[in-house]
Amino acid sequence: MSLKGTNGRGKGPGRGSTDLRRADASAGMQADAPEKVRNIALVGHSGAGKTLLLEALLAATGVISRMGSIEDGNTVSDAEPSEIHQQRSVVLSVAPLLYDGIKVNLLDTPGYGDFTGELRAGLRAADAALFVVSALDDIDAATTALWAECDQLGVPRAVVISRLDHPRANFEATLAACQRAFGDSVVPAYLPVRTGTEITGLLGLLSGTVADYTDGDPVPSERGASPDELSESEAARGALIEGIISESEDETLMDRYLGGEDIDVDILVADLETAVARGSFFPVLATSATTGLGVAELLDMLTRAFPSPAERELPAATDLAGAPVGLTCDPAGPLAGEVVRTTIDPFLGRVCLVRVFSGTLREDSAVHVGGRGLSERGHEDHDSDERLTHLYSPVGASLKPVNSCVAGDICAIAKLANAETGDTISAKERPLLVESWDMPEPLMPVAVEAASRSDEDALAKSLGKVAAGDPTLRVERNAETHQLILWCMGEAHGEVVLDRLRDQGVKLQTVPVVTPLRETFAAPAAGHGRHVKQSGGHGQYAICDIEVEPLDRGAGFEFIDKTVGGVVPGQYIPSVEKGVRSQMQKGVSAGFPVVDIRVTLVGGKAHSVDSSDAAFQAAGALALREAAAAGRIQLLEPVSAVTISTPDEYVGPVMSDLSSRRGRLTGTTSAGGERTEVTAEVPDGELLRYAVQLRSLTAGTGRFRRSYLRHEPVPGNVAPAAANA
């Protein structure tokens, strides 16, 4: 079946069209109207075949002369060194093609959970999602969760069952798994036709014709289906027609169909395309990137059924004062684009991938670059005016010059000095801010340090560049432990960040993350501080006696003077307090700050000549150390309030795991959609790798957030290990 119904397939690029400009030509692809653009994100779990499917689509339309391979590291969309090394996508990549006069921007998104930020950026830039599911694997829980998320947003979707050339491929089982995971509106538009055990063609359920790929040509021949093929596909055809009619705006169609009328195929195809575009019906297609099976049918569906940018709602926008600005996908409207990805090129500098929502970007024009709302991740609010020198059409890592980019299209801009991922690009004379998309919180810490002091400046500069392009990375210099912490999405994300830093020539090493413990006095104690030195000339003389008492958690520090008779002159009493505070910051047992104590100065001695501010500071510090040596010190660990969102089926394992982490469960709440929120109080030291472990526990579907609650005493059986961490 062609989505063009009985009219047959159009002559697209690769079939005699002269519209296509090859990617190795000097000029890039350029659309002149939003209606001639389709922005489609390829999503699915890692290994489903997204990258190879993109290669097949590019090869079939002449964008590339032949397909690359993941093993050889020469695919269009996986060009980063980390992608080639890991043999999987880790960043968002865009590759356009032209088919039937339509420019299709294909956005290849990573399938691994650590790179959810790149996936969300791809969905932000796209107007529809193509779910790629391997015919060898079941539907993983993360893909099911993503489908539900797209459903809430009303994103148009279709499903491609890939890798059908594999000996273990099972189209029927995978289709059934898709319908269980995604719902009854997921219906096949084609069924595989087999010659022996090999799939050699596709039967169009509406047209009743077979696309024959026996010759291995990406442009199949067509023949009528045999009586046996029609008989075997009758039930699937009926399900497809009933599904289309149920979505039709023509309320008479169902009665006519049930009454035995043969509904015209062109009417069914038109209703199918409308239902797909509005996100209420989801066709299933079958493909093999290796043999080219189904690529022609997929190209028809991408250009005819998926909506243009003009048919989709735009994100909210405001001016710099916060007043709402209504945007439409109009090339003549106010300029509003968004940076969805930022990379650093050694020759071009900062390269920004931009989705233009409104207006038209033109080379050699002045623009406003604005970013707000990410200061907590190290991206301070910023505004600047810059001039565009060149625009490009991105084909993976390659950039082809264009002179403009209309509303709805995607382009790349080089040499912007201050732009970061998530920034808004607008007209200099009318600055705007586009509402930012939801980005996941990085919750796995990685502590790094420069290999030498001379590498520290290089590390700081490179971190700024890497963080500018990765809003899921948060850089923190911990005020208590003084460690440089990179907050990442998981181990794989952390490895990619470190690889990017090393690729820029930074010499660094990872070190264990130190949990910021604190110390306090578990019982009252007394300390005697004697700082007396006489080595000729002006000496040092200061003696003080203090009493230390523990206070309630969070009470802070109190200093009380109870001396009488001027044994410690009034001008030196603040010096004693200063010395005590200084020692509290250094710690008295394990080197962590001391908190929640009351120190009372009860006695001391001074010398009329040798006493000084410095001497009494030293005596105060010594007195606190001696009190600690004579008393009992308690380590305190930070405890966070943690909220975990998980599918209901994983609540038990999640709660059991929290208990093993010394967590105290505080409640469970239904979050709707067969999900539950579990709340608990958990020591921070037990959460260092929780982002990785929760993903493992919940098959990639669990999410959590945390916030500092308080410091609590470390249990005796844990304290030695905590102090040495």
Side-chain angles (χ1 to χ4, degrees):
M1 188 268 303
S2 166
L3 288 180
K4 296 183 178 182
T6 58
N7 295 327
R9 293 187 183 86
K11 288 287 186 182
R15 304 197 185 106
S17 170
T18 58
D19 292 338
L20 180 68
R21 301 179 204 170
R22 295 176 61 85
D24 55 3
S26 59
M29 297 183 194
Q30 186 170 332
D32 57 11
E35 293 77 16
K36 296 182 180 180
V37 177
R38 303 291 184 271
N39 298 308
I40 300 164
L42 276 62
V43 302
H45 65 81
S46 186
K50 300 184 297 296
T51 298
L52 283 184
L53 180 60
L54 185 146
E55 289 286 306
L57 291 167
L58 296 179
T61 52
V63 177
I64 55 178
S65 58
R66 65 184 182 89
M67 290 177 56
S69 74
I70 293 174
E71 292 76 12
D72 293 339
N74 59 355
T75 61
V76 169
S77 59
D78 287 355
E80 275 213 357
S82 54
E83 293 179 309
I84 296 170
H85 172 67
Q86 297 184 25
Q87 294 194 354
R88 65 181 174 192
S89 300
V90 302
V91 298
L92 171 68
S93 182
V94 178
L97 59 84
L98 284 171
Y99 183 83
D100 251 2
I102 302 295
K103 179 184 179 183
V104 181
N105 290 312
L106 296 171
L107 297 104
D108 188 15
T109 67
Y112 193 66
D114 276 19
F115 308 107
T116 303
E118 301 284 340
L119 166 63
R120 292 186 181 278
L123 290 173
R124 174 68 162 207
D127 301 300
L130 188 65
F131 277 70
V132 182
V133 178
S134 170
L136 308 179
D137 305 313
D138 200 359
I139 311 298
D140 70 318
T143 302
T144 304
L146 178 60
W147 181 277
E149 186 176 331
C150 289
D151 197 49
Q152 291 178 345
L153 298 173
V155 177
R157 282 149 283 159
V159 178
V160 169
I161 297 179
S162 65
R163 304 182 67 187
L164 285 174
D165 57 296
H166 197 281
R168 291 193 295 105
N170 190 327
F171 176 85
E172 291 75 15
T174 306
L175 173 61
C178 288
Q179 291 172 333
R180 288 194 301 271
F182 304 150
D184 294 337
S185 294
V186 175
V187 180
Y190 302 88
L191 290 182
V193 174
R194 291 176 171 84
T195 301
T197 59
E198 184 181 354
I199 297 176
T200 57
L202 296 175
L203 169 61
L205 292 176
L206 292 185
S207 66
T209 61
V210 173
D212 193 338
Y213 285 87
T214 304
D215 296 335
D217 191 326
V219 182
S221 59
E222 289 191 0
R223 63 171 175 83
S226 69
D228 287 345
E229 290 168 340
L230 291 175
S231 175
E232 291 172 1
S233 65
E234 186 175 347
R237 184 176 192 271
L240 175 62
I241 293 175
E242 289 179 15
I244 294 171
I245 291 176
S246 68
E247 296 292 336
S248 174
E249 296 178 357
D250 185 348
E251 298 179 356
T252 68
L253 275 186
M254 183 61 77
D255 291 335
R256 289 158 55 192
Y257 175 70
L258 294 177
E261 181 179 338
D262 190 11
I263 307 299
D264 186 86
V265 173
D266 285 341
I267 293 176
L268 293 174
V269 169
D271 282 342
L272 169 62
E273 293 170 354
T274 301
V276 172
R278 69 175 175 233
S280 59
F281 193 76
F282 317 105
V284 179
L285 295 92
T287 65
S288 165
T290 303
T291 66
L293 176 81
V295 170
E297 287 73 20
L298 179 56
L299 285 167
D300 274 341
M301 193 273 297
L302 296 180
T303 52
R304 292 187 59 84
F306 276 156
S308 73
E311 300 172 73
R312 298 291 295 161
E313 184 178 351
L314 299 183
T318 65
D319 60 21
L320 296 188
V325 176
L327 297 178
T328 59
C329 190
D330 180 2
L335 178 61
E338 187 170 38
V339 178
V340 294
R341 183 162 187 262
T342 307
T343 56
I344 306 298
D345 185 274
F347 303 104
L348 294 175
R350 193 168 297 197
V351 178
C352 298
L353 189 66
V354 177
R355 162 69 193 264
V356 180
F357 292 114
S358 173
T360 301
L361 266 177
R362 303 184 190 278
E363 62 180 351
D364 199 30
S365 61
V367 297
H368 178 83
V369 179
R372 305 288 172 87
L374 288 175
S375 58
E376 73 281 359
R377 298 196 185 190
H379 302 262
E380 297 299 326
D381 292 351
H382 54 276
D383 292 279
S384 63
D385 293 328
E386 302 192 41
R387 178 164 292 278
L388 304 183
T389 54
H390 297 289
L391 296 180
Y392 301 93
S393 173
V395 185
S398 300
L399 300 176
K400 305 301 176 182
V402 294
N403 54 32
S404 65
C405 183
V406 299
D409 205 354
I410 296 173
C411 67
I413 305 173
K415 298 183 179 179
L416 289 179
N418 302 301
E420 300 181 357
T421 300
D423 283 3
T424 300
I425 306 293
S426 55
K428 177 182 177 181
E429 62 275 9
R430 190 179 180 184
L432 301 176
L433 287 172
V434 175
E435 183 180 49
S436 61
W437 72 86
D438 180 34
M439 285 178 280
E441 182 72 20
L443 292 168
M444 195 193 86
V446 177
V448 299
E449 59 183 29
S452 64
R453 186 173 296 274
S454 61
D455 293 310
E456 291 179 354
D457 287 343
L459 174 59
K461 291 178 182 178
S462 295
L463 263 179
K465 294 177 181 178
V466 172
D470 188 352
T472 61
L473 172 67
R474 178 161 57 91
V475 182
E476 174 197 5
R477 175 70 72 173
N478 190 282
E480 295 186 24
T481 66
H482 307 295
Q483 282 191 307
L484 180 61
I485 305 293
L486 310 182
W487 288 92
C488 304
M489 297 298 299
E491 285 182 320
H493 182 214
E495 289 174 6
V496 168
V497 170
L498 294 175
D499 284 346
R500 288 173 180 165
L501 292 171
R502 290 172 178 136
D503 287 343
Q504 296 181 35
V506 178
K507 296 179 181 179
L508 54 79
Q509 57 194 17
T510 59
V511 294
V513 177
V514 177
T515 302
L517 303 179
R518 295 175 185 173
E519 303 173 357
T520 194
F521 281 70
H528 176 72
R530 175 183 173 84
H531 183 74
V532 177
K533 292 186 178 180
Q534 191 69 45
S535 56
H538 199 347
Q540 299 181 47
Y541 189 98
I543 298 174
C544 63
D545 295 293
I546 62 171
E547 294 176 352
V548 184
E549 307 168 66
L551 297 177
D552 293 336
R553 294 286 77 77
F557 170 66
E558 294 180 14
F559 183 84
I560 299 174
D561 171 30
K562 284 191 176 181
T563 58
V564 294
V567 292
V568 177
Q571 70 267 30
Y572 296 134
I573 291 174
S575 303
V576 176
E577 180 180 357
K578 191 173 180 180
V580 169
R581 287 182 178 272
S582 176
Q583 190 61 51
M584 288 175 65
Q585 286 300 312
K586 298 175 183 177
V588 293
S589 175
F592 297 104
V594 179
V595 297
D596 302 334
I597 60 171
R598 176 188 293 122
V599 173
T600 303
L601 179 62
V602 295
K605 291 183 180 180
H607 189 278
S608 58
V609 175
D610 292 342
S611 290
S612 65
D613 170 68
F616 272 98
Q617 284 190 47
L622 180 60
L624 187 66
R625 291 199 300 271
E626 290 201 0
R632 185 158 56 91
I633 300 301
Q634 173 71 63
L635 284 177
L636 303 175
E637 64 182 347
V639 174
S640 288
V642 178
T643 301
I644 301 105
S645 173
T646 177
D648 295 343
E649 61 187 297
Y650 298 115
V651 170
V654 166
M655 293 174 68
S656 176
D657 179 72
L658 287 172
S659 297
S660 72
R661 297 174 185 280
R662 300 188 287 122
R664 290 190 297 273
L665 296 171
T666 57
T668 59
T669 307
S670 174
E674 299 183 347
R675 293 184 72 89
T676 297
E677 284 196 345
V678 180
T679 56
E681 298 176 358
V682 186
D684 282 13
E686 302 287 347
L687 295 174
L688 297 180
R689 292 177 48 81
Y690 191 59
V692 177
Q693 288 144 345
L694 179 63
R695 184 178 297 130
S696 176
L697 273 176
T698 62
T701 59
R703 301 186 297 271
F704 80 104
R705 58 185 185 272
R706 59 186 285 187
S707 58
Y708 170 75
L709 198 59
R710 59 181 173 269
H711 272 69
E712 291 184 353
V714 179
N717 61 326
V718 179
N724 295 325

